[in-house]
């Protein structure tokens, strides 16, 4: 491979078939466990409306600018994140150190998939649990026990993690058009249909208004500094930015597509899905007199309790977890892409083999996360350091990726695009003119880095 050829995929014609195909793929990546699992529970924990407003501001100030920059870098480099950053440092005449953006991205996406797959496996397992009717009429102890029982069983978690990874490998291994695009074209419409069904169902509970006012009437007395930081961190996670995933997807983006406009549609749809997920979940929680601030167990414990009490709970519970599963799969395939793209280019192995080799390595590392919930629950590798006390392998990986590699990657991407690249590159790729361009550059150069730096330092201290 020649490291200086940019736009390799453009030349080979190996691209998304249309702007819409790219949008669906990117929305598929963005919409994931973050929207359906995490957003509702952090909104619940942080008191609702005011948190949602801050989150929307973070999407605008940090999320959209980094998303535009990352897709732009991807298309301009036209190869895997590692190779794209390598060539761009040459063609843009910048310091070689920026190449770390590519490596940071590939390693982080590798690591994040290793644990994302384990949680995706929970979703898989819950489709079956809900369909079996085990939640019907069950009490809080039984439902909490089912969740705890699943986590305690190494065999169960390993099985679901393996099935989940196998699905991801199969899709990615078939290539951009025949694998990813095909799967996404089926899964994304399904996701939207399921989501609308769930919101419609939530409207029949009689507690929809309560959910709307919980999510949209801001009460700033409930907002803490920590809440603001959570909102910012989540804005990055939910848009899949900072770790090369959007860069990898951008490398297959046809030249004629306007990146700024496309990125805004992606962010809008991702945010829309998160809000709709909240509107699907909170009415059920309120209708059953349950607690919106229940934390990570909100959808695996609180929600099944609600389904177990409601008419139609069997069907809607099953559909809900199917929705979660679909969202997780379309995100997971995007995490494998930077690794596969690199293996294909750099090691010259076929797409299918790259997916298999990369996927198996990730699966293997994922076993560390599986064990973190049972056999290794008391194994705290860095326990000697006060800060890491009590953290399992899974906690450490999550911390490393979500609190270090993603924000640092996002920061570096904003700085590279805002300060290091030549004006020509931005003009060719971004698709903004006049005042819009200046406004965008101002945000990207100053506000975005400042925003990320604040969260990053706070998280660290
Ligand atoms: N955005 C995905 C979600 O919300 C997670 C993700 C992060 C996907 C990073 C790709 C890269 O679940």
């Amino acid at each position: 491979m020649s490291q200086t050829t940019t736009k390799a995929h453009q030349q080979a014609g190996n691209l998304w078939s249309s702007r819409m195909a790219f949008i669906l793929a990117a929305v598929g990546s963005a919409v994931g466990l973050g929207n359906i699992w995490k957003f509702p529970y952090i909104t619940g924990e942080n008191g609702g409306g005011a948190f949602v407003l801050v989150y929307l501001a973070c999407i605008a100030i940090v999320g959209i600018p980094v998303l535009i920059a990352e897709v732009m870098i991807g298309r301009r480099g036209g190869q895997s994140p590692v190779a794209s950053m390598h060539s761009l440092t040459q063609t843009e005449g910048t310091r070689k150190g920026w190449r770390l953006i590519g490596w940071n991205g590939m390693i982080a996406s590798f690591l994040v998939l290793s644990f994302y797959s384990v949680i995706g496996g929970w979703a898989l397992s819950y489709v079956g649990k809900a369909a079996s009717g085990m939640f019907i009429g069950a009490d809080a102890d039984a439902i909490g026990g089912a969740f705890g029982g699943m986590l305690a069983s190494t065999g169960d978690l390993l099985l679901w993690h393996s099935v989940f990874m196998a699905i991801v490998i199969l899709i990615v291994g078939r290539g951009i058009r025949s694998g990813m695009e095909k799967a996404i074209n089926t899964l994304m419409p399904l996701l939207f249909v399921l989501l609308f069904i769930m919101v419609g169902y939530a409207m029949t509970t009689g507690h929809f208004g309560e959910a709307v006012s919980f999510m949209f009437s801001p009460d700033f007395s409930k907002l803490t500094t920590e809440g603001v930081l959570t909102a910012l961190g989540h804005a990055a996670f939910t848009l899949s930015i900072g770790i090369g995933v959007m860069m990898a997807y951008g490398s297959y983006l046809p030249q004629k597509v306007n990146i700024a406009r496309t990125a805004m549609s992606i962010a809008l749809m991702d945010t829309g899905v998160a809000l709709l997920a909240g509107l699907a979940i909170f009415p059920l929680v309120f209708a059953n007199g349950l607690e919106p601030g229940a934390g990570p167990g909100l959808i695996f414990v609180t929600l099944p309790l609600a389904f177990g009490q409601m008419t139609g709970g069997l069907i809607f519970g099953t559909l809900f977890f199917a929705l979660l599963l679909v969202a997780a799969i379309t995100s997971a395939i995007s995490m494998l892409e930077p690794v596969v793209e690199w293996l294909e280019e750099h090691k010259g192995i076929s797409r299918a083999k790259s997916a298999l080799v990369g996927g198996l390595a990730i699966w293997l590392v994922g076993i560390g996360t599986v064990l973190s919930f049972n056999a290794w629950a008391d194994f705290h590798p860095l326990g000697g350091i006060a800060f890491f006390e009590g953290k399992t392998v899974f906690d450490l990986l999550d911390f490393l990726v979500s609190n270090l590699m993603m924000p640092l990657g996002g920061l570096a991407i904003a700085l590279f695009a805002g300060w290091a690249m030549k004006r020509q590159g931005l003009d060719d790729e971004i698709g903004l003119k006049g005042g819009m361009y200046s406004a965008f550059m101002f945000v990207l150069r100053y506000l975005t880095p400042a925003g990320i730096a604040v969260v990053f330092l706070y998280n660290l201290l």
Side-chain angles (χ1 to χ4, degrees):
M1 180 200 60
S2 151
Q3 291 271 19
T4 47
T5 347
T6 45
K7 303 202 178 279
H9 300 315
Q10 305 276 345
Q11 282 159 19
N14 179 21
L15 300 171
W16 301 110
S17 57
S18 64
R19 170 170 186 263
M20 200 53 205
F22 172 75
I23 292 186
L24 278 188
V27 171
S29 168
V31 171
L33 298 168
N35 302 60
I36 298 169
W37 171 54
K38 200 162 177 205
F39 177 73
Y41 91 70
I42 56 181
T43 299
E45 281 180 339
N46 288 285
F51 175 82
V52 173
L53 267 186
V54 174
Y55 162 77
L56 293 177
C58 295
I59 292 279
I61 295 170
V62 172
I64 296 179
V66 175
L67 180 59
I68 293 176
E70 191 166 339
V71 174
M72 187 265 294
I73 292 172
R75 184 166 73 184
R76 192 137 188 95
Q79 307 152 73
S80 71
V82 167
S84 285
M85 284 310 302
H86 191 106
S87 353
L88 284 183
T89 55
Q90 294 172 336
T91 52
E92 301 289 318
T94 70
R95 289 175 178 277
K96 289 196 176 126
W98 293 111
R99 291 177 186 170
L100 284 175
I101 291 178
W103 286 103
N104 176 67
M106 186 171 69
I107 296 168
S109 51
F110 181 104
L111 293 176
V112 77
L113 181 53
S114 79
F115 61 80
Y116 203 84
S117 163
V118 175
I119 313 211
W122 300 358
L124 244 167
S125 146
Y126 265 67
V127 175
K129 285 189 169 54
S132 76
M134 70 181 279
F135 300 137
I136 302 304
D139 63 9
D141 283 348
I143 286 177
F147 186 57
M150 177 182 76
L151 295 187
S153 160
T154 309
D156 277 6
L157 288 191
L158 189 61
L159 171 72
W160 297 118
H161 164 55
S162 309
V163 176
F164 188 88
M165 267 320 286
I167 297 173
V168 171
I169 292 171
L170 279 174
I171 296 174
V172 176
R174 291 168 149 255
I176 287 293
R177 286 210 190 167
S178 22
M180 328 263 283
E181 241 185 78
K182 254 203 196 134
I184 286 163
N185 285 344
T186 323
L187 293 176
M188 291 311 286
L190 178 65
L191 183 144
F192 285 110
V193 170
L194 290 172
L195 186 62
F196 285 120
I197 294 177
M198 289 311 300
V199 175
Y201 177 60
M203 285 174 139
T204 66
T205 59
H207 290 256
F208 196 71
E210 205 177 322
V212 171
S213 76
F214 176 71
M215 285 179 64
F216 298 107
S217 356
D219 171 357
F220 283 94
S221 69
K222 288 190 183 148
L223 193 66
T224 58
T225 346
E226 187 146 8
V228 176
L229 298 161
T230 307
L232 193 49
H234 187 65
F237 185 80
T238 191
L239 288 179
S240 308
I241 52 180
I243 61 170
V245 163
M246 288 297 180
M247 211 181 280
Y249 271 16
S251 73
Y252 301 100
L253 185 62
Q255 192 62 38
K256 59 177 195 293
V257 175
N258 179 315
I259 292 182
R261 232 171 4 124
T262 305
M264 278 184 248
S265 324
I266 295 165
L268 220 80
M269 287 167 86
D270 179 67
T271 306
V273 171
L275 297 176
L276 285 173
L279 290 177
I281 292 170
F282 289 123
L284 310 189
V285 171
F286 292 133
N288 288 278
L290 300 167
E291 188 37 60
L298 180 65
I299 68 169
F300 291 107
V301 180
T302 308
L303 214 52
L305 202 57
F307 288 127
Q309 305 303 321
M310 311 188 74
T311 32
L314 180 86
I315 294 172
F316 290 103
T318 311
L319 292 181
F320 176 81
F321 287 107
L323 166 68
L324 185 68
L325 176 63
V326 168
I329 291 175
T330 55
S331 294
I333 59 177
S334 74
M335 294 170 182
L336 187 51
E337 185 56 34
V339 178
V340 167
E341 205 179 8
W342 181 79
L343 285 172
E344 252 186 304
E345 276 169 2
H346 207 81
K347 301 281 167 207
I349 5 183
S350 73
R351 175 95 192 172
K353 244 196 205 147
S354 299
L356 190 64
V357 172
L360 277 178
I362 290 168
W363 172 82
L364 205 66
V365 174
I367 295 176
T369 292
V370 164
L371 296 173
S372 297
F373 294 100
N374 35 70
W376 288 0
D378 296 319
F379 172 44
H380 307 133
L382 299 179
I385 308 167
F387 183 74
F388 294 115
E389 210 181 305
K391 282 199 167 25
T392 61
V393 171
F394 163 66
D395 296 331
L396 290 173
L397 282 174
D398 182 25
F399 177 84
L400 178 68
V401 175
S402 312
N403 296 4
L404 298 179
M405 298 177 93
M406 286 186 89
L408 279 179
L411 178 63
I413 286 166
L415 293 176
F416 180 73
W419 298 94
M421 277 182 72
K422 292 186 191 132
R423 170 82 196 243
Q424 186 64 46
L426 306 177
D427 280 349
D428 289 352
E429 307 291 345
I430 291 181
L432 284 175
K433 298 210 168 58
M436 284 297 282
Y437 178 82
S438 314
F440 168 72
M441 284 310 280
F442 175 77
V443 175
L444 186 69
R445 289 182 142 185
Y446 300 101
L447 298 187
T448 309
I452 302 175
V454 168
V455 190
F456 179 68
L457 290 177
Y458 184 91
N459 267 333
L460 214 62
L461 301 178

